[in-house]
Amino acid sequence: EMDADEQAFQARIDDGQKIEAQDWMPEGYRRTLVRQISQHAHSEIVGMLPEGNWITRAPSLKRKAILLAKVQDEAGHGLYLYSAAETLGVSREQLVDDLHTGRAKYSSIFNYPTLTWADIGAIGWLVDGAAIMNQIPLCRCSYGPYSRAMVRVCKEESFHQRQGYDLLLALCRGSEEQKAMAQDALERWWWPALMMFGPPDADSVHSAQSQAWKIKLLSNDELRQKFVDQTVPQAEYLGLRVPDADLRWNTERGHYDFGAIDWSEFHAVLKGNGPCNRERLQARREAWAEGEWVRAAALAYADKHAAAERH
Ligand code: FAQ
């Protein structure tokens, strides 16, 4: 049963009003947002690692400059999102510690390796494509700081998606070996990309409450279906085969039917047993330790300035 405060809060949400940091909110609303926004931030930060792996090996100066810009955007997204989470009363240190100790999740997709240059194209096309599908509705979510952060993030993600598609288009118009590399990348990234949207609606523990609070506007399965519908024609244009024997257009539904997702793989990755989980967390912990002197120097500098201002 909702008490009077909770009823008034729900009425504001139903009325389409934005909730701001200083407003009263139910503890569960705050907790859900901290969980989702921080996991989103961690995904951006951990998500720099698979692509960072190819910056030194990009095939041309132009491709290298594009990839550098993309990875830097991801760092920026992580920082906006940590700031949005901090408006809810948690500290950056706590959030980062939750990632490093395994208490907080990050997107399953970033636990897969980038074996070839074509994987950089597949990440942009499929992973950023899935990210945009999920994030466009979040621009309208009920929490003001998160919804506003999403507007700029989505603009940058659409550049990321285009760079991935452009990279794959170049490979698909290239030699037989290049086209085969693109096909192989699609085969390895397709199913993990579909898993990004989360468990089926029937198994999604948070969905009902998050939808009532307008933290989520579309369900996991609705977004996954939209993604498949948008992406299959793009694969056809590239001349690539989607690795799903059950994929076919359903005229009655006006959507593609697609095959069963291997949820045991998804759960294994969430438990920490994906191909790169240990490597990803280790890289983040090392980067944090190596940055210790930078944080210490920044704090000492800020203290010095604050002291000078007092005189
Ligand atoms: N991976 O009840 P639900 C990017 C967890 S895009 C790992 O359905 P919810 C851009 C879920 O947290 C990727 N865990 O949960 C980029 C929950 O566990 P918990 C980031 C997953 O929250 C591109 C449990 O399963 N985007 O980074 C996943 O209502 C390229 C039950 O699930 C966002 O985070 C998964 N795939 O719905 C960067 C978007 N799916 O927390 C670099 C914002 C589910 O209780 C390169 N987030 N889980 O321990 C969301 O929209 C939602 O949180 C969902 C999950 C849809 C991800």
Side-chain angles (χ1 to χ4, degrees):
E1 270 303 286
M2 281 195 252
D3 65 24
D5 282 340
E6 285 167 351
Q7 272 171 14
F9 180 83
Q10 188 63 50
R12 286 188 64 193
I13 301 264
D14 295 342
D15 185 43
Q17 293 178 32
K18 293 269 184 247
I19 308 301
E20 296 299 335
Q22 67 279 8
D23 295 347
W24 183 86
M25 59 186 81
E27 234 1 80
Y29 180 83
R30 186 185 300 278
R31 241 191 347 262
T32 300
L33 280 169
V34 169
R35 178 181 63 80
Q36 178 167 320
I37 299 173
S38 67
Q39 294 187 160
H40 194 166
H42 300 326
S43 302
E44 298 282 356
I45 298 300
V46 177
M48 296 163 74
L49 296 169
E51 291 169 292
N53 184 35
W54 281 90
I55 290 174
T56 55
R57 292 178 287 166
S60 70
L61 182 60
K62 184 181 134 197
R63 292 287 177 195
K64 184 178 178 124
I66 294 170
L67 183 58
L68 262 174
K70 177 185 196 294
V71 173
Q72 285 176 353
D73 285 350
E74 281 148 12
H77 298 174
L79 297 184
Y80 298 154
L81 286 162
Y82 283 129
S83 297
E86 284 176 295
T87 65
L88 293 154
V90 283
S91 70
R92 180 85 55 103
E93 287 68 25
Q94 181 63 54
L95 297 175
V96 170
D97 194 57
D98 286 348
L99 172 68
H100 294 174
T101 55
R103 274 192 301 273
K105 296 190 169 76
Y106 56 88
S107 182
S108 50
I109 193 77
F110 302 117
N111 294 303
Y112 292 85
T114 41
L115 304 178
T116 73
W117 174 248
D119 290 1
I120 299 306
I123 290 181
W125 174 36
L126 301 173
V127 177
D128 287 281
I132 299 169
M133 200 53 93
N134 165 278
Q135 286 166 198
I136 291 279
L138 291 177
C139 297
R140 294 182 286 116
C141 82
S142 62
Y143 188 55
Y146 191 31
S147 72
R148 291 187 291 271
M150 280 300 109
V151 175
R152 175 162 176 184
V153 167
C154 284
K155 287 182 186 164
E156 294 178 348
E157 300 287 25
S158 81
F159 150 63
H160 297 171
Q161 200 266 353
R162 289 295 300 273
Q163 71 81 36
Y165 197 73
D166 181 71
L167 191 168
L168 285 177
L169 200 53
L171 290 180
C172 290
R173 288 174 176 170
S175 66
E176 277 308 307
E177 286 90 339
Q178 286 173 318
K179 188 156 187 195
M181 206 190 277
Q183 178 62 40
D184 171 63
L186 173 58
E187 287 173 16
R188 284 180 294 106
W189 291 90
W190 176 254
W191 293 105
L194 296 193
M195 294 175 198
M196 285 177 72
F197 296 96
D201 293 350
D203 303 331
S204 167
V205 284
H206 301 298
S207 274
Q209 183 59 71
S210 289
Q211 285 192 303
W213 278 329
K214 297 189 185 165
I215 291 171
K216 274 172 113 162
L217 290 117
L218 295 173
S219 82
N220 298 1
D221 287 330
E222 283 169 331
L223 289 168
R224 190 167 12 247
Q225 179 73 62
K226 278 165 75 84
F227 175 76
V228 171
D229 291 349
Q230 172 181 284
T231 309
V232 170
Q234 294 172 349
E236 281 165 4
Y237 186 78
L238 289 172
L240 297 179
R241 201 170 2 84
V242 174
D244 179 354
D246 298 321
L247 184 75
R248 58 182 58 82
W249 179 253
N250 182 325
T251 340
E252 253 165 62
R253 291 201 311 125
H255 292 291
Y256 281 95
D257 290 336
F258 54 96
I261 293 171
D262 178 3
W263 292 109
S264 66
E265 176 179 325
F266 174 75
H267 291 298
V269 173
L270 259 60
K271 279 210 198 84
N273 299 321
C276 303
N277 294 59
R278 284 170 193 79
E279 183 185 330
R280 298 293 183 237
L281 270 186
Q282 185 59 21
R284 287 313 313 155
R285 290 194 199 104
E286 278 171 21
W288 186 253
E290 280 167 19
E292 175 58 36
W293 72 271
V294 180
R295 293 190 299 280
L299 279 176
Y301 182 77
D303 285 346
K304 197 172 96 180
H305 265 256
E309 263 167 39
R310 280 196 295 274
H311 288 298

